[in-house]
Amino acid sequence: MTYTARLRVWRGDTGGGALTDYEVEVNEGEVVLDILHRLQATQTPDLAVRWNCKAGKCGSCSAEINGRPRLLCMTRMSVFEPGETLTVTPMRTFPVIRDLVADVSFNYAKAREIPSFTPPPDLGPGEYRMKQADVGRSQEFRKCIECYLCQNTCHVVRDHEENKPAFAGPRYLMRVAELEMHPLDIADRVADVQDEHGLGLCNITKCCTDVCPEGIKITDNALIPMKERVADQRYDPLVWLGRTITRRRDRPARG
Amino acid sequence: MIETERHEYDVVVIGAGGAGLRAAIAARERGLRTAIVCKSLFGKAHTVMAEGGCAAAMGNVNENDSWQVHFRDTMRGGKFLNSWRMAELHAKEAPDRVWELETWGALFDRTPDGRISQRHFGGHTYPRLAHVGDRTGLEIIRTMQQRIVALQQADHAETGEYESRLRVFAECTVTELLTDDDGAMAGAFGYWRESGRFIEFSAPAVVLATGGIGKSFQVTSNSWEYTGDGHALALRAGANLIDMEFVQFHPTGMVWPPSVKGILVTEGVRGDGGVLKNSDGERFMFGYVPDVFKGQYAQTEDEADRWYTDQENNRRTPDLLPRDEVARAINTEVKEGRGSPHGGVYLDIASRMKPEEIKRRLPSMYHQFKELADVDITAEPMEVGPTCHYVMGGIDVDPDTGQSRVPGLFATGECAGGMHGSNRLGGNSLSDLLVFGRRAGLGAADYVAAAGRRPTARTGAVDTAAATTLAPFGPPERGTGENPYTLHAELQRRMNDLVGIIRTEAEMAEALEHLGELRRRVRDVVVEGHRQYNPGWHLALDLRNMLMVGEAVASSALTRTESRGGHTRSDHPGLDPEWRHRALLTTCVRDGGQEHGDVPRIAVERTERAPMRDDLLALFDLTELEKYYTAAELAAHPGARPQGGST
Ligand SMILES: Cc1cc2nc3c(=O)[nH]c(=O)nc-3n(C[C@H](O)[C@H](O)[C@H](O)COP(=O)(O)OP(=O)(O)OC[C@H]3O[C@@H](n4cnc5c(N)ncnc54)[C@H](O)[C@@H]3O)c2cc1C
Ligand code: SF4
Ligand code: SF4
Ligand code: FES
């Protein structure tokens, strides 16, 4: 079942660009990334597209197909009509580098702002004991392949450059939740998540969950529970006071 | 003089997979200024694809496990060709390395009593693989990525800068290593993929952790990164490669649809109960247990099935023989006409486990088949066949420190050789990365401390490297104007057809001829466009490395006239004890009469392996060793002496 597909691919760089039309052969079972590779091999060798595993495991090949954020390597051509023109564009929320490749450094910067795993001081390597039931939730979040599709989709920063400094995005708010739900982590990140990492800006629209290729329930399982913890802590003065004191004692350097 | 950005570091780690990250952590923890350079984004290296698990004799599931048993399994898997010292260090240190990951935040699957759970894998006597469902590599990469972030946060607290001691140069490709006038390491040269701009690192120690070579083959589980860069860089810098004839073909890759052919189906499917069947519905592996493993595997389906629940009283299923055996068996079944419609065999877990259980234990496999092949693995069998997966051969290094023959040049992970002998056991790579990544990082740190001076790259070396890199933009005037994609496809096809699972002298010779032809054509390679994120240009440069590595594999395979592990010669089908103690070294030929810019030639020479230490040899029964060793080599074995002690 071979046919010729019509593709409109965004070509350009930081200076600007435009959609360019191509016609490419498609064979049975192929994914959009295969088609872009065929374009590279036969028509336009310098077409820039980022990819690595071609198996939905590394999260490199994120882009938008007909405006929908997707992994290029996990989107089969068979989900489109053969007559349909596919429009492939880079992720919109991040600055473009060239063609389909976006500058995702925003995400690496946000990753550094989340305080890291903090183990109990008295447990040595090999002494960790955790029940499967207790690690399951954080394990769900650790399935994240860092494709940044959720970051790209969230309306708080999509087309809202001004919110970027104050918003970690669903992926990193979920990282906070992951550490908070880790059975052995002793740090407290709840106090900062609302303002410093911008949980307050999230209005639980679930758009992030909708695009997650790993099917992680970002909103229901990470963001909403974090909002609940924030609410608990904020409005219970005793909890608030208690936590503030422990934090000071635990981490004098960071205050 | 072309404009080049310059950086000074104590240690430059090339590669951000498990091995590179572990090495960088070790060097930084020693207080050294460390750079990590990688072709992909940080956190996307090939290690993320590892599925099944990480082998370590923690004894959490079966307490009879110990480093000695792991050591024995590893040596058997490699058919006694492994660097025994590496196999020893690996077996002893792997548990500590896995536990350490937990202190950095890793969350492995648990046993009922809360410890790290361990699963069965081919060639491992006991359940030994720490895992997280079937995404273990992702967990390991993410944990170390986050450990690096934690170290950067600590540096930030101390110095006000995240990158004051540890910096990641992502999407940056190294094209040449730099040496000083005495041949010692002086740094590395490369380009930013994004801009095409050049970059030079000046450093007394370089750690290569660039992974494998699979992209030289048509059907492979490997990603585009696997172009053998580290192997080729090391050769050109004066280091040797060892055991390059040994390439692992994983028995179970996807075979359909064509665009996903080669993508891995984890061995965890078989470890958890999946079985191989041919088109007659027969579990054919029972017919393929080789003599050296006779008596170690179940002989009936009943016994094999009982083994999953009772390992004390039953022998394991031959579906879990080492990979080389299973890959050859599948190859034979298909050749003899008992294959599946798309040229593979069936891997059936649907009829052996409840759908929910399959989805829980093998979520990515379920997802992968559903999305990419429209196959529901909880309802129907998968179609699978061999795929080029791993290279056992690699840079020849000192087992304890990872240092190559070139002072200051270290190597670790898949690009280093020796540890796995002629065939790697599943799960032994992730643990290899941790154990020897750390050791290489420490080795580099010790070297820098002892060297006490900063070497200077040979004059003109950077300009030469830059000129070679730019050559595809200005090919020879009367050249044929070759397309890099076409050359790559041709190289892959030749390697697959001629240097694949089953090899002959005539095929190796033919392969070398084609590689020679490609070497000529690569001179004329031309790329369009400019230097900014230009994949055609990147491929043109990678081709040089793939050609060198392809020659190393084909020449070594031509020289070794026996069959063992990941090297099967149908014209020399037997295991030859005289070949066990020999190793093949690949070197770069400096004065091969080539013109400037040509891909350097390689040569293969024989050498002897160091004999195994007596106390390690004594861990094996004499009768087993006699299957592999010459009588003379076994004179020192306790069993060989009349008064001999027990093992
Ligand atoms: C699908 C799959 C599943 C696997 N499953 C398992 C498993 O379950 N258990 C197991 O033990 N093993 C498994 N393996 C094998 C194992 O994953 C690899 O051998 C291992 O991850 C290699 O790690 P590494 O650190 O050596 O290199 P990689 O993780 O491949 O990293 C190589 C790094 O080097 C960089 N690099 C390469 N060339 C250059 C250059 N020229 N300049 C700059 N940077 C460069 C790359 O960008 C990358 O960052 C699997 C392999 C595959 C393909
Ligand atoms: S749920 Fe919150 S984080 Fe997710 S897309 Fe909506 S606003 Fe953004
Ligand atoms: S949470 Fe999902 S969508 Fe977001 S980065 Fe991770 S894998 Fe991608
Ligand atoms: S290439 Fe890795 S997720 Fe698409």
Side-chain angles (χ1 to χ4, degrees):
Chain A
M1 231 238 0
T2 297
Y3 69 96
T4 303
R6 281 204 303 275
L7 239 66
R8 313 192 74 190
V9 182
W10 195 88
R11 303 295 311 266
D13 51 32
T14 39
L19 290 170
T20 310
D21 289 293
Y22 297 98
E23 294 201 343
V24 209
E25 181 187 308
V26 178
N27 301 311
E28 186 167 9
E30 287 181 335
V31 295
V32 176
L33 186 60
D34 290 316
I35 308 312
L36 294 170
H37 283 162
R38 185 162 299 125
L39 260 183
Q40 281 181 338
T42 58
Q43 301 179 36
T44 165
D46 62 343
L47 169 67
V49 47
R50 188 184 270 137
W51 66 288
N52 197 334
C53 68
K54 201 173 172 290
K57 296 199 163 81
C58 72
S60 300
C61 64
S62 308
E64 302 189 5
I65 305 171
N66 295 343
R68 183 178 160 79
R70 282 171 172 279
L71 294 179
L72 297 170
C73 74
M74 293 303 279
T75 306
R76 295 186 77 186
M77 288 300 287
S78 58
V79 303
F80 308 104
E81 294 300 320
E84 196 177 340
T85 301
L86 290 195
T87 305
V88 191
T89 48
M91 283 192 282
R92 193 166 87 195
T93 302
F94 310 117
V96 70
I97 292 175
R98 202 162 100 83
D99 302 342
L100 299 175
V101 177
D103 173 357
V104 293
S105 53
F106 167 79
N107 300 286
Y108 290 95
K110 293 295 171 187
R112 281 181 182 158
E113 291 169 9
I114 314 289
S116 295
F117 174 62
T118 314
D122 52 334
L123 270 195
E127 295 170 0
Y128 285 45
R129 296 289 177 276
M130 297 177 268
K131 292 280 177 211
Q132 184 62 45
D134 298 333
V135 299
R137 188 52 78 212
S138 294
Q139 278 188 329
E140 178 192 3
F141 305 147
R142 291 182 72 83
K143 287 196 321 202
C144 169
I145 58 174
E146 299 201 334
C147 65
Y148 311 128
L149 287 174
C150 57
Q151 305 282 88
N152 173 52
T153 304
C154 177
H155 65 92
V156 176
V157 281
R158 193 170 170 98
D159 301 326
H160 287 282
E161 204 62 31
E162 72 281 7
N163 284 338
K164 281 187 177 172
F167 188 62
R171 194 275 170 260
Y172 295 102
L173 292 170
M174 178 178 88
R175 166 77 170 145
V176 175
E178 174 211 317
L179 290 164
E180 282 300 306
M181 295 178 199
H182 187 300
L184 291 177
D185 180 87
I186 57 162
D188 178 9
R189 299 169 190 78
V190 177
D192 285 343
V193 73
Q194 183 77 354
D195 303 322
E196 283 195 24
H197 307 307
L199 182 63
L201 292 169
C202 160
N203 54 356
I204 55 174
T205 55
K206 301 196 187 187
C207 314
C208 49
T209 304
D210 284 347
V211 297
C212 177
E214 288 295 302
I216 303 171
K217 301 261 183 305
I218 309 170
T219 324
D220 288 351
N221 293 347
L223 305 181
I224 295 176
M226 279 315 290
K227 281 181 176 276
E228 287 165 1
R229 290 186 186 206
V230 170
D232 287 351
Q233 212 175 81
R234 290 251 157 145
Y235 301 120
D236 182 341
L238 271 181
V239 172
W240 183 83
L241 192 68
R243 300 236 179 165
T244 315
I245 292 168
T246 7
R247 279 190 70 219
R248 293 246 167 80
R249 210 174 39 228
D250 284 353
R251 298 188 298 170
R254 276 190 227 143
Chain B
M1 179 80 194
I2 304 153
E3 199 194 328
T4 300
E5 158 188 347
R6 281 192 95 245
H7 297 271
E8 278 198 4
Y9 280 92
D10 297 324
V11 178
V12 172
V13 178
I14 305 175
L21 297 184
R22 191 62 192 82
I25 291 170
R28 157 62 185 77
E29 284 179 342
R30 280 281 181 92
L32 297 192
R33 292 191 67 239
T34 306
I36 302 171
V37 192
C38 55
K39 294 206 276 192
S40 292
L41 291 172
F42 184 32
K44 313 265 177 227
H46 197 273
T47 300
V48 295
M49 295 169 75
E51 296 163 356
C54 175
M58 297 182 284
N60 290 353
V61 173
N62 188 323
E63 58 192 30
N64 293 327
D65 205 4
S66 65
W67 76 261
Q68 289 90 342
V69 183
H70 193 181
F71 171 77
R72 278 200 296 258
D73 288 345
T74 301
M75 294 300 297
R76 281 179 189 135
K79 301 235 160 74
F80 287 85
L81 213 92
N82 322 48
S83 153
W84 49 264
R85 175 65 179 159
M86 289 175 105
E88 177 195 13
L89 291 170
H90 170 257
K92 283 182 173 164
E93 295 178 6
D96 286 338
R97 298 286 80 75
V98 172
W99 285 322
E100 176 176 73
L101 292 178
E102 279 197 311
T103 70
W104 299 341
L107 285 174
F108 292 101
D109 287 350
R110 319 305 298 177
T111 59
D113 66 348
R115 293 187 290 171
I116 296 174
S117 177
Q118 300 186 267
R119 70 155 47 114
H120 282 292
F121 240 52
H124 293 280
T125 302
Y126 298 114
R128 190 176 283 146
L129 273 66
H131 59 275
V132 188
D134 50 10
R135 54 162 194 89
T136 314
L138 174 65
E139 185 67 16
I140 286 184
I141 279 281
R142 204 61 86 229
T143 300
M144 287 202 272
Q145 179 183 350
Q146 289 165 349
R147 171 68 183 161
I148 282 171
V149 167
L151 290 168
Q152 290 178 328
Q153 289 172 339
D155 289 342
H156 182 257
E158 198 184 315
T159 68
E161 294 250 8
Y162 285 111
E163 297 182 333
S164 51
R165 288 202 196 100
L166 189 53
R167 176 168 170 196
V168 181
F169 294 78
E171 302 202 304
C172 184
T173 304
V174 170
T175 60
E176 218 66 77
L177 297 177
L178 305 170
T179 45
D180 71 4
D181 289 331
D182 301 329
M185 211 20 59
F189 174 88
Y191 63 88
W192 288 103
R193 294 167 62 81
E194 178 180 320
S195 61
R197 285 203 323 269
F198 293 138
I199 179 163
E200 180 196 345
F201 296 93
S202 157
V206 170
V207 179
L208 289 170
T210 53
I213 66 164
K215 268 296 156 193
S216 301
F217 291 78
Q218 196 171 31
V219 179
T220 175
S221 63
N222 294 175
S223 79
W224 66 264
E225 292 194 313
Y226 268 24
T227 50
D229 293 6
H231 292 78
L233 289 169
L235 275 176
R236 294 200 291 268
N240 294 336
L241 306 185
I242 187 168
D243 293 340
M244 287 304 288
E245 63 277 34
F246 298 112
V247 178
Q248 180 169 80
F249 292 84
H250 193 291
T252 60
M254 292 177 79
V255 295
W256 192 90
S259 78
V260 300
K261 192 165 177 170
I263 292 185
L264 192 76
V265 179
T266 176
E267 189 167 319
V269 176
R270 282 171 288 140
D272 286 359
V275 296
L276 293 163
K277 292 178 178 170
N278 60 23
S279 57
D280 300 335
E282 180 201 0
R283 284 174 63 177
F284 57 85
M285 281 311 299
F286 289 94
Y288 288 93
V289 182
D291 281 345
V292 289
F293 294 123
K294 278 268 151 63
Q296 297 176 27
Y297 287 82
Q299 274 156 346
T300 64
E301 294 189 15
D302 282 346
E303 179 179 3
D305 286 348
R306 282 197 306 271
W307 170 83
Y308 286 102
T309 47
D310 174 8
Q311 287 122 35
E312 297 303 320
N313 300 306
N314 298 287
R315 289 166 299 176
R316 62 181 39 230
T317 170
D319 291 291
L320 287 173
L321 272 161
R323 290 176 176 172
D324 52 328
E325 310 290 353
V326 184
R328 274 191 300 270
I330 294 177
N331 200 58
T332 308
E333 287 296 306
V334 174
K335 261 200 184 144
E336 292 179 358
R338 292 183 297 274
S340 67
H342 300 102
V345 295
Y346 295 108
L347 175 58
D348 172 27
I349 190 147
S351 74
R352 300 175 56 84
M353 200 182 273
K354 291 207 183 66
E356 313 80 69
E357 186 69 3
I358 298 175
K359 282 190 213 167
R360 192 182 66 77
R361 290 219 218 177
L362 301 161
S364 350
M365 285 304 105
Y366 174 74
H367 197 63
Q368 181 174 312
F369 273 88
K370 193 90 201 141
E371 305 266 317
L372 296 175
D374 270 334
V375 167
D376 178 356
I377 67 166
T378 67
E380 45 187 324
M382 300 160 242
E383 270 187 79
V384 296
T387 179
C388 178
H389 185 58
Y390 186 89
V391 59
M392 273 69 72
I395 301 157
D396 189 23
V397 293
D398 170 55
D400 289 70
T401 63
Q403 186 162 217
S404 73
R405 197 171 71 151
V406 177
L409 179 60
F410 297 76
T412 175
E414 190 169 340
C415 72
M419 160 69 203
H420 305 286
S422 69
N423 173 54
R424 173 178 73 89
L425 293 185
N428 266 2
S429 171
L430 291 180
S431 40
D432 165 2
L433 309 181
L434 299 174
V435 169
F436 295 105
R438 172 177 161 277
R439 283 186 162 270
L442 295 178
D446 288 342
Y447 174 85
V448 172
R453 69 182 182 100
R454 297 198 72 85
T456 323
R458 248 191 292 252
T459 354
V462 168
D463 289 343
T464 312
T468 308
T469 310
L470 289 178
F473 287 107
E477 282 200 2
R478 285 190 308 279
T480 43
E482 300 284 347
N483 174 335
Y485 294 96
T486 313
L487 292 186
H488 184 214
E490 180 141 352
L491 172 77
Q492 288 182 310
R493 189 164 57 85
R494 300 295 185 192
M495 290 299 285
N496 223 76
D497 294 352
L498 302 170
V499 199
I501 306 189
I502 313 286
R503 304 160 172 178
T504 66
E505 179 174 338
E507 284 172 349
M508 289 313 106
E510 195 187 332
L512 285 168
E513 217 170 278
H514 287 300
L515 290 172
E517 173 66 25
L518 285 169
R519 159 195 297 282
R520 276 188 294 282
R521 289 171 65 187
V522 106
R523 235 187 329 213
D524 292 341
V525 78
V526 54
V527 296
E528 281 176 33
H530 44 80
R531 279 159 66 185
Q532 224 193 351
Y533 216 111
N534 184 339
W537 178 42
H538 303 164
L539 180 60
L541 299 176
D542 293 345
L543 272 174
R544 297 168 53 80
N545 298 334
M546 286 190 265
L547 273 171
M548 286 185 80
V549 171
E551 281 197 358
V553 175
S555 304
S556 305
L558 178 65
T559 314
R560 181 173 284 270
T561 48
E562 66 152 356
S563 294
R564 183 188 297 267
H567 170 65
T568 305
R569 287 278 299 260
S570 56
D571 48 353
H572 296 276
L575 208 65
D576 179 356
E578 290 297 349
W579 268 110
R580 195 212 58 81
H581 54 82
R582 281 186 213 145
L584 297 176
L585 288 181
T586 303
T587 57
C588 185
V589 184
R590 285 276 136 218
D591 47 3
Q594 61 243 12
E595 290 171 39
H596 165 74
D598 277 4
V599 180
R601 298 218 82 103
I602 58 101
V604 168
E605 61 193 55
R606 293 173 198 205
T607 174
E608 285 293 313
R609 291 177 202 273
M612 199 190 296
R613 227 173 47 223
D614 287 349
D615 59 313
L616 295 176
L617 202 64
L619 292 173
F620 299 92
D621 279 343
L622 191 61
T623 45
E624 177 170 19
L625 293 174
E626 280 166 352
K627 296 173 184 170
Y628 301 96
Y629 280 69
T630 62
E633 290 175 292
L634 293 176
H637 191 274
R641 287 193 286 269
Q643 75 277 23
S646 76
T647 58

